[in-house]
Amino acid sequence: MRKILLTLAALAFIAAGLAVPAHAESVRLTYSSFFPPTHIQSKLAEQWCQEVEMRTNKDVIIDFYPGGTLSPAKQCYDGVVEGISDIGQSALAYSRGRFPVMAAVDLPMGYKNGVQATAVANTVYAKFSPAEFDDVQPMYFHAHGPGLLFTVDKPVHTLADLRGLKIRSTGNSAKLIEALGGTPVAQPMPASYQSLQKGVVDGSVHPMESNKGWKLGEVVRHCTMTVPVGYTTTFFIVMNKARWNEISPKNQKIIEQINREWSIKHGQAWDASDAEGRKFLTAKGGDFYELEPAEAERWVQAARPVLDGYADGEGKKVDGRAVVEFIKAEMTKAQ
């Protein structure tokens, strides 16, 4: 009996030893993203998790949850603050009015590509260190290429064509649609496909990539190349402050270096997927219309009140005009 008990005790000890992780001091985190697992931005986020794990020698381990399984897009930021997830990726536009400095990045500034928009977003944060993020630890930001106008049935070649159309939009893009004469309908990206398919909305403003990344090219047909008033959507990756403070200073520096590398990767990925999105829509029979120069200028003039409205409204909580002027200057550096 004594021999059996000793054997059982030894087995229990071995089993307990096997259950102990390779690094007893490892910090294990959860990461919530609303992007579906097949989306390139979701894949990049998962690769970031793997890179962090590798470079910290598994001192930091991250479990990635795509598709809004831990927290929906609109609740992602608060989910990080409240500890529902330790890290979160979502769009600032889903929390309208909450981020007055960074909201300026999403204005219809005429962005040409995602690399430019991503560089601007991270530079704005570095320049102004906005207090709106004091309740989290920002990792980095990224932003897509120019948001364009897509419609299901009616092509839009002029401002007059847009009047009366219901257009899915969020944040500053909703303000843009209103200024241009359309009717904005606020909806997060995951709801867009069905709304377009069922005729709840007549169209959508989104980057070219979403035609493939979110399959919207299956339900829209016409693209108006509204690059002169091209807006962007800024995406955040933030971490719960308490969990960040559990990571050693050495590993924090490693993660900050990875953040700098990954923000660039995200911007490049947006541009690569814009090209894929255009191919996808073309293959589905979609068409593309370039605004005539005079008409393009009318769109720019119609959109101007959105910039002024930001400075006098949401941006009034901060020095909104200074933020806008800073962005304009940065855009010339990051083409």
Side-chain angles (χ1 to χ4, degrees):
M1 179 64 71
R2 177 181 170 82
K3 183 184 259 188
I4 292 172
L5 289 173
L6 286 172
T7 301
L8 290 172
L11 289 172
F13 180 79
I14 292 169
L18 291 173
V20 174
H23 293 258
E25 73 282 7
S26 293
V27 176
R28 193 169 201 120
L29 306 171
T30 57
Y31 185 142
S32 174
S33 174
F34 77 101
F35 285 108
T38 55
H39 197 288
I40 182 59
Q41 298 300 331
S42 183
K43 292 178 181 179
L44 273 173
E46 188 167 19
Q47 290 167 17
W48 178 87
C49 299
Q50 295 164 352
E51 193 75 8
V52 168
E53 183 172 332
M54 183 186 74
R55 291 204 212 172
T56 63
N57 194 29
K58 295 190 176 180
D59 285 347
V60 181
I61 299 171
I62 306 170
D63 298 317
F64 183 64
Y65 295 88
T69 52
L70 270 186
S71 53
K74 287 186 175 182
Q75 281 79 53
C76 185
Y77 186 89
D78 284 328
V80 172
V81 175
E82 296 164 8
I84 295 171
S85 68
D86 301 313
I87 306 166
Q89 174 178 226
S90 191
L92 297 178
Y94 295 150
S95 301
R96 193 166 170 178
R98 186 168 185 171
F99 306 102
V101 173
M102 292 301 293
V105 180
D106 290 4
L107 291 168
M109 306 290 290
Y111 290 102
K112 293 182 173 61
N113 53 61
V115 168
Q116 179 193 49
T118 294
V120 167
N122 285 283
T123 306
V124 167
Y125 179 77
K127 167 70 174 178
F128 294 98
S129 299
E132 59 212 52
F133 290 99
D134 282 353
D135 49 1
V136 294
Q137 180 67 37
M139 297 289 97
Y140 58 93
F141 301 87
H142 59 92
H144 62 61
L148 306 172
L149 175 64
F150 298 86
T151 49
V152 178
D153 296 317
K154 181 183 178 181
V156 174
H157 296 170
T158 66
L159 286 175
D161 293 335
L162 182 59
R163 290 195 194 106
L165 295 186
K166 294 177 290 184
I167 307 296
R168 172 263 164 201
S169 48
T170 60
N172 281 328
S173 68
K175 294 179 182 178
L176 173 62
I177 288 300
E178 187 174 21
L180 296 175
T183 302
V185 178
Q187 288 182 341
M189 188 59 79
S192 301
Y193 189 102
Q194 283 198 344
S195 289
L196 289 161
Q197 186 182 49
K198 294 179 178 180
V200 175
V201 293
D202 302 302
S204 168
V205 280
H206 56 257
M208 194 72 76
E209 69 80 29
S210 299
N211 293 312
K212 183 177 182 181
W214 292 90
K215 306 299 183 186
L216 300 188
E218 296 177 351
V219 287
V220 297
R221 181 181 172 189
H222 309 289
C223 172
T224 309
M225 298 293 290
T226 52
V227 177
V229 291
Y231 73 94
T232 190
T233 300
T234 304
F235 300 88
F236 60 79
I237 295 89
V238 298
M239 188 183 297
N240 179 279
K241 262 194 166 180
R243 299 311 309 275
W244 173 254
N245 290 332
E246 292 177 25
I247 300 171
S248 71
K250 173 187 172 184
N251 285 328
Q252 287 180 353
K253 290 186 183 302
I254 289 172
I255 293 171
E256 287 168 349
Q257 175 58 36
I258 298 171
N259 291 343
R260 287 188 284 271
E261 297 169 17
W262 248 250
S263 69
I264 295 170
K265 289 177 182 287
H266 281 274
Q268 292 169 337
W270 280 119
D271 291 339
S273 49
D274 268 354
E276 289 298 316
R278 179 162 185 148
K279 288 180 185 176
F280 186 87
L281 182 56
T282 301
K284 294 294 181 181
D287 55 61
F288 306 86
Y289 179 78
E290 297 277 354
L291 294 173
E292 296 290 336
E295 183 64 25
E297 181 57 27
R298 281 191 279 273
W299 287 61
V300 170
Q301 292 302 321
R304 187 153 292 166
V306 179
L307 276 66
D308 295 336
Y310 162 78
D312 296 332
E314 187 175 3
K316 206 168 185 179
K317 303 172 187 175
V318 293
D319 190 349
R321 294 193 183 279
V323 179
V324 169
E325 291 306 313
F326 179 80
I327 291 172
K328 288 178 179 178
E330 287 300 307
M331 285 180 66
T332 63
K333 302 177 188 176
Q335 296 288 342

